[in-house]
Amino acid sequence: MKEQTCKLCGEGTYSLGTGVLFDEWEELPHGFSTISNSQFTEDYGASGNCNMSTWEPHGDYVASNTDECSATLMYSINLKQEGIVSFDYLYPDNNIGFEFFVQNDQCQPREEESRWMKTTQKGWNHHQVTLTKGNNVLYWKTTAFYLGGDVPKPVLVKKIHVTGVAYTSECFPCKPGTFTSTSGTSTCQLCPKNTFSTRGATSCTPCEQDKYAEPGSSSCTPRPPCTEKDYFYTHTPCDTNGETQMMYKWIEPKICSESVKDSVSLPASGVKKKCPPCNPGFYQTNSSSCEPCPINSYSNGTTCNKCPAGTEAVLGFEYKWWNLLPSNMRTSVMSGMNFDYQGRSGWEVAGDYIYTSAGSSDNDYVVLYLNIPYFSPPHTVAEDGENNVVSRITFVFDMTCSVNCQLFFMVAENSEMSSVIKSWMGTQEKQSYTYQINRNANTTFTWAFQRTKLKEMGRKYTLDMAKIYSINITNAKDGVASWCQPCALGTDSLCVSCPTGNYIDKMTSSCIPCPPNTFLRTYQPYAVEACVPCGPGTHSNDMRTACFSDCLVSVPSGKGQLQYDLSSLPNMTTFVGPPGFTSKGMKYYHQFSISLCGNQGKKLASCVENITGVRGSEDDSWRSVSSYICQSVILPSDATGHKIFLSSQPVSIADRLLGVTTETKFANISSPEDLFPGENAAIKDIVFYFRSNEVTDSCRSGRSTAVRLRCKPLKPGLGLLSPPSSCPEGTCDGCMFHFLWETQVACPLCSEQDYRIITSACQHGVQRTTPMWREPRMCVGGVDLPQPTATICKTTDFWLKVGVSSGVCTALLLTFLTVYFWRKNRSLEYKYSRLMMNAPSKEGELPAADSCAIMEGEDAEDDLIFNNHRSLLRKFMTFSGKRSSDGFDSVPLKSSAGTDMDM
């Protein structure tokens, strides 16, 4: 400071100038602090105890928490000039959210592209951020959001380097295990293996013959006696004579001593024996090496044969002989202590299988990689972006474990973060596992084996191992073939691709379209049997690759049919179930995305595994799942005052629509009515039945989903989606999912039977008709309600008057006719009686002449009968009557002699 000049640091020391480096983590360095809190604010009802959830130092690095709390590592520093902060981090598990951000002295965060760190794929990553002059507060924050299963791996941070601080006035000694032999350096070098150093060393001291040391050690460790656990066996490559032999090698790094008492020596190499055949699709050259067969040929591992006419080679890789590691596979070992890759082989070939060798310690990860740059489906497999399975990988393995060893199977696409597809723990019998690939991309398959999670140096469980006997992957580009399959022939007798939805006719080798309402089995496109009929209420799409519902549903009801139109439902909708809580009070939700019908069967529902901030930025590396129905876990969190939601564990629960019906059981899938009580007896629920492709240990047939649509006229639009009250997560067994969708759209279309006509009384000469819906109205759309009508009518008073008048007239007429006929009858009786009185008493006598005088005893009223004065009615009747010349009525009478007489 007095001379105001910079001097070089001496040997064994270093200086960063205006920077500071934190690379020793035996304890938290001065200025660092760690705090913990529940990741959920009071708004979310947090209740867990997170006091013990902190970042912990572990020598070379500091490790985050792994529980359900949020832990933050903070460091505050004042910069004299603009600088940078850089650090190395290992972030292997996406079940933990990891963010790094910087705040100024006003506690305002820096504007950055992304505060969320990307998971690491291959060891440690380096991250760097620019800092401004003045106070800067650095935050490393982790938030775990796993639900059950294995505890996630922690985030590790090391070598935190900050520049722009005050100028240094001293040099720092190299930490133990490092050295520098020159002056004026800014870093110290690691001591190589089997050497050590103390603080401020200028060189490393070799260990004694009976001791060893790992790179960067501060002391040496006595070598234990060699045992059977310190060596492994492998097979040599085939020589020119086609022979191989078993050889034994020491596990590297060799830490045991052969000179110590009770130690064992390396066994002698085995006798030579004939090499196993090449793997299918390869042939053996004169030098006993295996080479792939030419294009359009196949082999069983010995000689290549050309595919017959009308067939094509089925490309892929089938590894079942392990004399040499295939060219597209590699192995490595990742340290379980510092998570560095050690750059040596971890899996060894053994003829019939490949197995895990030992690492430096039992908690090392022994890793095997298989890379397929691209997939090339055969001509018979048509491209279909919705339902195409581009490849399948199947491997046979077993595990032998004395403790809780674990095998992970992972998949990464386009160099993204590997996702754990399946894991096995403990001893496993020989078994096979199949995984299907739905995306044509550069894909890396990874198998990682760990003997124990305990972080202890040494080898105790080297006899614990995993063996893989065979690996078979289909449709691999630049692959080889072990057989040929029939294909469709073009005009030049070469294999051609059939159009989408066409099968291959076995007799003619031509492409035939599948019948309507059937879809094609992609991997069995031969003969019409490859066309599978669609289920009830579904139709095949235009490509004949899947069955879907066009949102127009017809179901039987009594003697007729009920018609439904579900097209007004959204193409994709998302709903969140009721909250759940872990034992520590962590609140989480199950979010479901549903795409029910229409869109030619496209799978529009999508669930992602991501971290969504308040700014809504997205990352292409997020793992997403697309299907008809998918599920993800949503966890609310609080990051620097901003409420965010973390999405995790996306899974498809509906990849195929099986049918749409009102039955409670279909295709071995049940949808019990008692899960959702309250179904209308007249209008039954419509049930959509789905099945997923993914098969798990607990779901041997894959997951299944039943979505009930219930008519609710008072719930317009989207309505309400809900899981069963008895199973709030949507499933009671993890395999069968049930949902109820109550909406007005689920009501049948209206018809003439759904309304009635009401006719009013005739008022003021007008009668009205009013159509009205039957209550309760259980229909929508369809026919419209007819318009009211009005017609002219006669009132009741009018018809009453007409009736009374007609009755009176009729009564008068009847009375008149009765009197008339009664009087006429009297006249006739009178005349008849007079005639009978004048009749002769003996035969042959003529009747006496009638007297014109009134006889004694005759009534005066008789004058009325013979009076010539006649009424108007009588005059009218005379027109049709028969009269004599004297004007009197002529009445025919019969005499006693039987002759007629006119009177």
Side-chain angles (χ1 to χ4, degrees), residues 526-589:
Y526 311 108
V528 70
E529 291 77 15
C531 301
V532 183
C534 293
T538 64
H539 313 276
S540 58
N541 58 6
D542 295 339
M543 300 173 66
R544 298 290 198 275
T545 56
C547 295
F548 76 105
S549 170
D550 58 2
C551 298
L552 301 178
V553 182
S554 177
V555 298
S557 177
K559 297 182 179 180
Q561 297 277 332
L562 291 179
Q563 306 294 330
Y564 295 81
D565 185 0
L566 309 177
S567 57
S568 59
L569 291 176
N571 290 333
M572 190 275 291
T573 184
T574 301
F575 77 99
V576 178
F581 296 88
T582 65
S583 58
K584 258 196 169 181
M586 182 181 74
K587 179 186 287 187
Y588 64 90
Y589 300 87

Side-chain angles (χ1 to χ4, degrees), residues 395-450:
F395 58 93
V396 179
F397 72 101
D398 65 16
M399 294 169 59
T400 302
C401 302
S402 59
V403 291
N404 290 329
C405 64
Q406 196 165 8
L407 175 66
F408 301 90
F409 173 62
M410 299 174 285
V411 176
E413 296 177 348
N414 295 330
S415 300
E416 296 174 359
M417 173 64 186
S418 291
S419 299
V420 177
I421 304 300
K422 179 71 175 175
S423 64
W424 298 266
M425 180 175 290
T427 300
Q428 300 287 329
E429 296 181 353
K430 193 174 182 179
Q431 59 186 278
S432 66
Y433 179 78
T434 300
Y435 175 74
Q436 67 181 24
I437 299 96
N438 299 314
R439 183 181 177 190
N440 201 342
N442 188 334
T443 305
T444 300
F445 305 96
T446 304
W447 294 264
F449 180 76
Q450 186 183 37

Side-chain angles (χ1 to χ4, degrees), residues 33-77:
S33 61
T34 175
I35 61 173
S36 61
N37 61 286
S38 172
Q39 59 175 313
F40 308 105
T41 64
E42 294 181 357
D43 295 340
Y44 299 125
S47 60
N49 183 7
C50 298
N51 295 332
M52 303 302 294
S53 301
T54 60
W55 288 72
E56 297 180 354
H58 289 275
D60 294 331
Y61 57 83
V62 58
S64 73
N65 66 315
T66 57
D67 56 12
E68 303 160 3
C69 299
S70 178
T72 304
L73 178 69
M74 296 187 302
Y75 180 67
S76 179
I77 191 169

Side-chain angles (χ1 to χ4, degrees), residues 76-308:
S76 179
I77 191 169
N78 186 283
L79 299 187
K80 302 301 181 182
Q81 62 183 19
E82 184 178 297
I84 61 170
V85 56
S86 63
F87 57 91
D88 295 338
Y89 71 96
L90 188 71
Y91 180 19
D93 199 327
N94 52 14
N95 282 325
I96 293 182
F98 176 38
E99 54 182 328
F100 172 75
F101 55 94
V102 181
Q103 289 184 345
N104 57 22
D105 50 4
Q106 281 81 37
C107 295
Q108 295 177 346
R110 290 270 315 274
E111 292 293 334
E112 300 173 12
E113 293 183 0
S114 176
R115 60 193 293 163
W116 299 96
M117 310 298 292
K118 293 185 178 181
T119 51
T120 55
Q121 175 65 25
K122 300 177 181 179
W124 294 81
N125 278 9
H126 185 76
H127 187 67
Q128 179 175 303
V129 174
T130 303
L131 302 179
T132 59
K133 181 180 178 180
N135 288 329
N136 291 266
V137 184
L138 315 180
Y139 294 88
W140 293 264
K141 186 175 181 179
T142 54
T143 306
F145 52 99
Y146 72 100
L147 298 177
D150 297 329
V151 176
K153 299 177 179 62
V155 175
L156 308 183
V157 175
K158 67 178 182 179
K159 295 182 180 178
I160 300 177
H161 182 201
V162 182
T163 64
V165 298
Y167 300 104
T168 183
S169 59
E170 61 179 339
C171 296
F172 301 96
C174 293
K175 69 176 184 177
T178 63
F179 75 100
T180 176
S181 57
T182 59
S183 58
T185 61
S186 59
T187 59
C188 298
Q189 301 176 4
L190 283 178
C191 287
K193 66 177 182 178
N194 295 329
T195 63
F196 73 99
S197 69
T198 57
R199 184 176 298 275
T202 59
S203 63
C204 297
T205 304
C207 294
E208 298 177 5
Q209 190 67 26
D210 59 346
K211 294 183 179 180
Y212 75 96
E214 296 287 342
S217 297
S218 59
S219 62
C220 296
T221 304
R223 293 180 181 271
C226 292
T227 65
E228 291 81 358
K229 299 179 180 179
D230 293 305
Y231 60 82
F232 66 96
Y233 61 93
T234 186
H235 283 256
T236 61
C238 292
D239 56 21
T240 55
N241 297 324
E243 294 180 334
T244 183
Q245 68 179 143
M246 181 182 292
M247 293 189 64
Y248 295 89
K249 297 181 179 180
W250 293 111
I251 297 174
E252 295 294 339
K254 182 183 177 184
I255 61 175
C256 66
S257 174
E258 300 177 66
S259 59
V260 180
K261 183 181 179 181
D262 298 330
S263 63
V264 299
S265 299
L266 200 64
S269 299
V271 296
K272 288 190 175 184
K273 61 180 182 180
K274 187 175 180 60
C275 284
C278 296
N279 283 307
F282 293 83
Y283 71 97
Q284 199 169 51
T285 64
N286 294 332
S287 60
S288 298
S289 62
C290 294
E291 295 293 334
C293 287
I295 297 176
N296 204 30
S297 60
Y298 70 99
S299 81
N300 60 358
T302 54
T303 58
C304 298
N305 301 289
K306 194 169 184 62
C307 288

Side-chain angles (χ1 to χ4, degrees), residues 675-690:
L675 285 178
F676 301 103
E679 181 181 14
N680 190 297
I683 303 177
K684 292 186 173 296
D685 296 341
I686 299 177
V687 187
F688 282 70
Y689 289 95
F690 298 90

